[in-house]
Amino acid sequence: MTTATIRVYLFKGFERLWHWTQALLIILLGITGFEIHNSYHLFGYQKAVMLHNTLAWALIALIVFAIFWHLTTGEWRQYVPTTERLSAVAHYYAVGIFKNEKHPFKESEASKLNPLQRFTYLGFKILIIPVQVTTGLLYMYYNHWHEWGIFARLDLTALLHTAGAFALISFFIVHVYMTTTGHTPLAHIKAMITGWEEIEAD
Ligand code: HEM
C-alpha cells in the first residue's frame, strides 16, 4: 500500500545555506582540530592551526548572521522547548520505528521541529557551540590572558575544547542517523537541500 504524502515548505533559503555551511565548517574544524590534537598528520601542524583559526572566524561570522536571522524572522520560536509529546517521540525512536508505527509528530511551517529536536538543537545552540567558541577563543588568545586579566588554566581550556569536539562528533553521528529516518532514507536530506519536506498525509 502506498501512503499519500503532502509537501510542506520547511526550510527557507538562508536556513539551508546556514545549515550546510555550518556542517562543512564544523567538519573541517574537527579534521584540523584533531590534527592539532596530534591524532593524525594531514596538513602539517602549522597549516592545520592556520586553517583551524580561519575556519573558526568563518564559523563565528556565520553564527552572528544566524543569530540575526533567527531574531529578525522570529524563527527562534522553533527552538522553544516543550515536553508535549516528548515521551511519545522518544518512544517512537526507541521502539515504534522498528515496528513501522506512525511518527507521533507532524511537521508544519509553524512547528518544524519535534520536541526531541527542540531540546537537542537548543542544547547545541546554547551549550555545545558557546563552549566550543569560548574555549576556542580563550585558546587562541592565550598570550593576552595576563594583559586582559584572565586567570584561567590552559590545560582545562584545552580539555573542555576537546570534550566539546567529542560532543560534536557524537551529535554528528546521531544527527546523520536521524536524517535517514524519514519516510525514505534520503527524505530529510532532500528537504534540507530543496526546502520542501514530504510528509505522510493522514
Ligand atoms: C569558533 C570556534 C573555534 C575556535 C575559536 C577554535 C580555536 C582553537 C584553537 C586556538 C586551538 C589551538 C590551536 C593551537 O594549538 O595553536 C584549537 C584546538 C582544537 N580545536 Fe578548535 N576552535 C573552534 C572550534 C572547534 C570545533 C567546532 C572543533 C571540533 C569539531 C574543534 C576542535 C579542536 C580540537 C580537537 C583541538 C585540539 C585541542 C588540543 O589538543 O589541545 N574546534 N581550537
Side-chain angles (χ1 to χ4, degrees), residues 92 119 175 194:
Y92 171 78
F119 272 106
H175 190 67
T194 64

Side-chain angles (χ1 to χ4, degrees), residues 82-92 104 114-117 119:
T82 171
T83 50
E84 203 191 315
R85 271 176 296 160
L86 176 65
S87 56
V89 172
H91 184 267
Y92 171 78
N114 71 48
L116 205 58
Q117 286 174 312
F119 272 106

Side-chain angles (χ1 to χ4, degrees), residues 69-113:
W69 184 84
H70 279 92
L71 290 180
T72 52
T73 57
E75 285 292 291
W76 58 269
R77 289 191 189 88
Q78 301 278 356
Y79 302 88
V80 174
T82 171
T83 50
E84 203 191 315
R85 271 176 296 160
L86 176 65
S87 56
V89 172
H91 184 267
Y92 171 78
Y93 286 112
V95 181
I97 194 169
F98 303 108
K99 295 187 181 167
N100 244 345
E101 281 175 13
K102 270 198 178 319
H103 200 297
F105 177 84
K106 289 262 175 281
E107 300 101 323
S108 66
E109 223 173 300
S111 176
K112 57 191 165 206
L113 304 175

Side-chain angles (χ1 to χ4, degrees), residues 12 31 40 51 63 75 78 82-83 88 109 149 162 167 198:
K12 299 182 182 75
I31 293 173
Y40 44 78
L51 280 169
I63 291 171
E75 285 292 291
Q78 301 278 356
T82 171
T83 50
E109 223 173 300
T162 309
E198 279 186 0

Side-chain angles (χ1 to χ4, degrees), residues 26 30 33 36-37 45 52 56 60 132 136 139-140 158 161-162 165 168:
I26 290 179
I36 297 168
H37 192 65
Y45 181 80
H52 197 80
I60 291 172
Q132 210 57 1
Y139 212 153
M140 205 182 272
H161 196 69
T162 309
L168 278 170

Side-chain angles (χ1 to χ4, degrees), residues 35-49:
E35 170 152 22
I36 297 168
H37 192 65
N38 210 13
S39 304
Y40 44 78
H41 295 282
L42 197 63
F43 302 104
Y45 181 80
Q46 292 294 336
K47 193 142 189 233
V49 170

